Amino acid sequence: MYQRPSGTNDILPADQPYWRYITSRLHHLAALYGYDEIETPLFEDTEVFTRGVGETTDIVEKEMYTIRERPDESLTLRPEFTAGVMRAYLENGMHVLPSPVRLYSIGAIFRRERPQAGRYRQFHQFNAEALGEQDPAVDLEIMSIAYDLYAGLGFTGLSFQLNSTGCPICRPTYLEILKPYFRQHLDQLGDDDRRRLERNPLRILDSKHPAAQTIIEAAPRIVDYLCAECKDHFARLRRYLEVLGRPYTLNHRLVRGLDYYTKTVFEVWAQGIGAQNAMCGGGRYDGLIEVLGGKPTPGVGFAAGLERTILLMKEQHLPVPALPGPQVFLAYLGESAKQRGIELLGDLRRAGIRVTATFGDRSMKAQMRSADKSAAGYAIILGDVELERGVAVVRNLRDKGQQEIPFAELIAHLQGLLAAA
Ligand code: AMP
């Protein structure tokens, strides 16, 4: 028997209530904040990601699914939203719109990762971006969307992890202090971290290598080296968070490690959730659009993983509304009743009543068994005798009470029952 590729999931009917609920909340939330939806292709020119995500990131170094169409054309399944959304923003002239331009997307993301619990090769993200404005009030807005998303789903004990990673003016000074610091402690770094030391030293700060934890905790902190502009931006963001009463913890190990990621970096954590498996992450990337060929344009955004959100909702027993199942089940005996039933199914659906049947000409007992297992509250039973008399039997599948109703009154009768239920 074939199996799904490792790191992928079948989203079965039993899980659909979570997906439907979360996506409907996301659309609602985006509308509350004035964000417009944008859908970009599942794949882009590989260069959009090598430049837009960054050559030295894990994603570009080892996690992209790349297809070579022709010797001169390389396409990559999107390993994140931001770079493709920026490409679309520039290509479609959205940079002339009044700023900030506020965009969101929901969809599949592909990364060739080592699959494990909560870490997949195909997963889904909600992504929001605000482009064209550097005001920390916009950082706050993006952070608030993330916070409201999880609060609205029922998570409690929410707080932000927060850091500023400076900008191309102040970060080099910091790196000149960080690199020698880590060089002094080479023996405590893992192989990956040693490799990062020259290429991307900031990333050592979020290393999980056990032996490196003590020296990372004690490492110089970037917030102590921010330039006046970054310092002011960070101070104002913190003030706005306080105005809103949103709790945050400064976390100097929260980094992105790429030149065009600037200033704010954040994650949302909840009671007992976050340190191991982030629910969402985001920050400011004032240098990104320029890297992709646009005029210098500030931007800030975040991405939330939907599979991880659902896993955590299940762990925390957070409720989701059921999806609408059939309201009525049609059962019949004999060919004439079946034909009348087929007609009736159409009438009921046109009247907006959700109705189903087993077909296959089974015994009445078998049909009633299916009816009882379905979500339907009522069955319509049709046989030759009823047909001759111009009536149908309406059976209450809960209390098993039943009643004969003339065909002409059937739909109005069912509508009355369903409205009262
Ligand atoms: P990132 O784009 O890496 O900042 O990730 C944003 C969010 O996407 C994370 O906080 C996770 O919730 C989710 N995520 C990232 N990678 C994966 C993955 N491989 N499988 C499932 N969810 C993921």
Side-chain angles (χ1 to χ4, degrees):
M1 218 192 317
Y2 294 114
Q3 294 189 333
R4 60 181 188 272
S6 99
T8 65
N9 290 296
D10 298 313
I11 305 176
L12 299 174
D15 263 353
Q16 294 297 343
Y18 287 93
W19 288 87
R20 194 75 69 84
Y21 181 58
I22 291 175
T23 47
S24 72
R25 288 215 61 95
L26 286 168
H27 289 296
H28 176 71
L29 193 61
L32 284 178
Y33 279 86
Y35 281 63
D36 294 323
E37 188 169 15
I38 181 167
E39 287 187 48
T40 58
L42 287 177
F43 52 86
E44 298 274 353
D45 266 337
T46 300
E47 231 177 90
V48 170
F49 301 121
T50 47
R51 295 188 64 77
V53 180
E55 304 270 3
T56 59
T57 54
D58 284 351
I59 291 181
V60 170
E61 280 183 345
K62 50 188 191 206
E63 295 174 358
M64 297 204 304
Y65 285 103
T66 295
I67 309 145
R68 257 185 204 293
E69 279 281 59
R70 295 191 304 262
D72 60 342
E73 187 179 43
S74 171
L75 302 172
T76 292
L77 292 179
R78 65 182 179 211
E80 57 130 54
F81 271 111
T82 305
V85 170
M86 300 302 104
R87 193 267 313 138
Y89 167 85
L90 292 172
E91 183 174 347
N92 296 290
M94 298 175 83
H95 54 288
V96 303
L97 298 174
S99 65
V101 174
R102 298 173 160 106
L103 300 170
Y104 77 98
S105 305
I106 302 173
I109 296 293
F110 305 87
R111 293 183 193 170
R112 185 186 277 114
E113 300 210 61
R114 204 153 49 81
Q116 48 188 290
R119 185 168 294 283
Y120 311 112
R121 297 180 150 193
Q122 176 180 328
F123 59 99
H124 295 75
Q125 283 186 343
F126 169 77
N127 184 78
E129 336 253 5
L131 306 167
E133 179 53 66
Q134 226 200 23
D135 189 332
V138 184
D139 304 52
L140 179 82
E141 178 175 285
I142 283 285
M143 292 172 71
S144 297
I145 297 176
Y147 189 98
D148 289 358
L149 163 62
Y150 292 107
L153 292 173
F155 288 95
T156 53
L158 292 167
S159 68
F160 291 110
Q161 296 286 305
L162 184 65
N163 195 15
S164 172
T165 57
C167 70
I169 293 173
C170 49
R171 194 159 38 214
T173 317
Y174 170 64
L175 292 182
E176 286 319 305
I177 288 159
L178 192 65
K179 275 198 256 183
Y181 171 80
F182 281 131
R183 266 193 222 109
Q184 275 173 19
H185 299 282
L186 266 189
D187 52 327
Q188 286 163 67
L189 297 182
D191 291 342
D192 278 349
D193 295 336
R194 282 186 212 181
R195 233 170 11 93
R196 287 181 181 133
L197 187 54
E198 297 313 319
R199 301 192 63 189
N200 199 346
L202 268 189
R203 284 292 313 281
I204 300 176
L205 293 170
D206 72 5
S207 165
K208 306 275 184 289
H209 186 66
Q213 298 309 306
T214 319
I215 58 156
I216 294 174
E217 271 311 316
R221 303 180 169 213
I222 191 163
V223 287
D224 297 329
Y225 298 88
L226 297 177
C227 61
E229 185 197 296
C230 288
K231 207 181 217 163
D232 172 64
H233 192 273
F234 199 40
R236 282 192 290 150
L237 174 60
R238 292 171 62 179
R239 204 173 320 130
Y240 298 156
L241 281 166
E242 277 146 29
V243 168
L244 271 193
R246 294 283 183 252
Y248 66 86
T249 306
L250 293 184
N251 180 345
H252 78 286
R253 300 183 55 171
L254 209 56
V255 288
R256 290 270 162 150
L258 291 168
D259 286 349
Y260 47 72
Y261 281 104
T262 51
K263 299 187 169 68
T264 317
V265 197
F266 75 92
E267 286 181 0
V268 177
W269 288 11
Q271 201 83 59
I273 300 170
Q276 293 307 317
N277 264 344
M279 305 201 283
C280 76
R284 185 164 270 288
Y285 41 81
D286 291 343
L288 176 57
I289 291 190
E290 214 176 337
V291 166
L292 291 171
K295 284 211 227 45
T297 310
V300 55
F302 85 100
L306 303 191
E307 282 81 356
R308 227 172 258 182
T309 304
I310 292 172
L311 276 175
L312 296 169
M313 287 180 75
K314 288 181 179 171
E315 260 176 51
Q316 308 246 327
H317 306 292
L318 299 180
V320 291
L323 287 176
Q327 296 166 296
V328 174
F329 201 98
L330 174 81
Y332 55 81
L333 271 186
E335 185 58 25
S336 324
K338 179 179 186 178
Q339 286 181 25
R340 185 69 185 90
I342 286 173
E343 212 184 327
L344 192 57
L345 287 172
D347 294 340
L348 290 165
R349 288 175 186 144
R350 268 186 295 281
I353 295 174
R354 301 189 301 273
V355 56
T356 187
T358 54
F359 297 123
D361 306 325
R362 302 178 195 186
S363 70
M364 187 50 68
K365 207 168 152 195
Q367 293 184 68
M368 280 302 118
R369 252 198 319 267
S370 292
D372 284 330
K373 280 188 189 152
S374 80
Y378 299 92
I380 298 174
I381 301 168
L382 287 182
D384 290 341
V385 183
E386 285 80 19
L387 221 54
E388 261 168 38
R389 295 177 33 226
V391 298
V393 173
V394 172
R395 178 177 167 91
N396 182 322
L397 290 169
R398 307 275 176 268
D399 66 18
K400 314 296 179 203
Q402 51 187 55
Q403 227 183 325
E404 283 187 356
I405 308 292
F407 272 121
E409 293 162 29
L410 189 55
I411 289 181
H413 180 76
L414 282 167
Q415 280 171 329
L417 290 176
L418 293 171

